[in-house]
Amino acid sequence: MLTLFSLLTALPAVLALHLLEPELVLPAFSLVLFAEAAFAVIAARLIHLPDNAEDITLWDLAGGFTLIGCAAAVFGEPDQAALFLTEQGGPTAGVAALGRPITPQ
């Protein structure tokens, strides 16, 4: 289970580093980790395993994904998140979301 957690945490980080601009890495990484946490919670609710304090469960994975996603969101700046959302939604998304156009620097 720990190997799965490590793989699901490291793979999006490496892909984000290689595929995105540097200022977009942290917002994208936090969104991916929040999505992984949501999937882990859904899987934990659907798969009823006996609680065992010695083993890592899907609930632990969801908590880990959420914690790392929050850390990535805190270290990223709000302008980076707005830039990420405007790139995903096109040039008019920044005007609608922030009330003013976003110009890349």
Side-chain angles (χ1 to χ4, degrees), residues 20-65:
L20 296 174
E21 298 176 17
E23 61 269 1
L24 299 178
V25 170
L26 287 176
F29 186 55
S30 66
L31 288 175
V32 168
L33 287 174
F34 289 140
E36 287 181 357
F39 285 127
V41 166
I42 291 169
R45 293 287 293 165
L46 294 176
I47 302 171
H48 297 289
L49 297 176
D51 291 334
N52 188 353
E54 296 177 5
D55 293 333
I56 296 175
T57 65
L58 288 172
W59 292 107
D60 297 325
L61 291 181
F65 290 140

Side-chain angles (χ1 to χ4, degrees), residues 50-93:
D51 291 334
N52 188 353
E54 296 177 5
D55 293 333
I56 296 175
T57 65
L58 288 172
W59 292 107
D60 297 325
L61 291 181
F65 290 140
T66 304
L67 180 69
I68 297 170
C70 287
V74 166
F75 287 124
E77 295 181 16
D79 292 340
Q80 294 173 347
L83 181 63
F84 176 72
L85 293 174
T86 57
E87 277 199 8
Q88 300 302 317
T92 59

